[in-house]
Amino acid sequence: GDRYYLHLHQQDIDIIHIAAAANKKVVVSLVAGSAITVEEWHNEVPAIIQTFYNGMEGGHALARLLFGEVNPSGKLPFTVPVTEGDLPPFNSFADTAHYGYYHGYTLFDKEKKQPRYPFGYGLSYTQFKISYLKTSEVFKTSDVSSGSVRITVKVKNTGKHQGAEVVQVYVSPPAGSIDRPEKLLRAFKKVYLQPGEEQTIELNIPLNDLAWYNPATKAWVIDAGTYTVLAGNQSRDAEMQQTTFTLNR
């Protein structure tokens, strides 16, 4: 509870305004362990890098990234909102707090809100294309204890520099009366590619990972039905690949 707001201090915002007015090639490096809103200044700078808490060698690491010796490949482990009002209320002085069922990207999906930077977002000095998503099609509930969904997808480096992409696989549950998240991250894999290189990668999702907890029966439940598999480079990827598989009784 040591933060009263999610934006930068005003003196830091002022520095960004002054620097961006003097030089259009300004990179803002954010040193923080969680989300920072950027609405006051993000349109004034061409690049933002979230370095988290990078330790005593952080300066050397940052320089290598900025000068292109290393290609950035990190992804946000949280959602950056446009405003604090997009998030549930928070009291810095509370002794206890109640966290609802929905949070992070699942909350933004449910409330149809547009984040500034989605969960899983992260840019690179090159570009990637994710395509040809395929999966096993039909399972039975008897497979749940030991079975898994095998997923294959192609990843190609379409840019001019070597780099790494994190392929993220989300699963949407069958339609039903139970209130559940629109989709949940269920697998991810990092792949390193040279310019023009393409690889087919495999990911596996245990069927047990499809379960949801029923508080009424105090038991985990796996619904039968058709599940949607989505593969992309972040939770709001406009070019997310889709396929389905079915779990039968």
Side-chain angles (χ1 to χ4, degrees), residues 124-200:
S124 165
Y125 292 141
T126 190
Q127 296 82 41
F128 299 92
K129 182 176 177 61
I130 298 172
S131 60
Y132 296 102
L133 174 66
K134 295 182 179 180
T135 185
S136 313
E137 294 183 356
V138 180
F139 299 89
K140 296 181 179 180
T141 52
S142 57
D143 300 327
V144 164
S145 59
S146 59
S148 63
V149 183
R150 178 176 175 269
I151 296 163
T152 59
V153 64
K154 288 187 177 181
V155 190
K156 184 175 182 178
N157 183 342
T158 60
K160 299 180 180 180
H161 306 281
Q162 63 179 1
E165 178 65 293
V166 179
V167 179
Q168 302 164 41
V169 176
Y170 298 81
V171 176
S172 296
S177 59
I178 302 299
D179 185 22
R180 299 181 63 185
E182 181 180 302
K183 63 179 180 293
L184 287 171
L185 180 69
R186 283 294 173 249
F188 61 90
K189 190 169 187 177
K190 195 169 198 173
V191 56
Y192 295 84
L193 298 170
Q194 298 293 325
E197 183 182 1
E198 183 177 64
Q199 286 187 24
T200 299

Side-chain angles (χ1 to χ4, degrees), residues 9-19:
H9 296 309
Q10 188 58 51
Q11 59 265 37
D12 296 324
I13 294 173
D14 292 341
I15 290 172
I16 294 173
H17 288 322
I18 294 168

Side-chain angles (χ1 to χ4, degrees), residues 3 13 45 50 60 100 106 121 123 133 151 157 161 178 217:
R3 295 175 67 186
I13 294 173
V45 299
Q50 177 102 14
H60 292 129
T106 64
Y121 181 83
L123 297 179
L133 174 66
I151 296 163
N157 183 342
H161 306 281
I178 302 299
T217 62

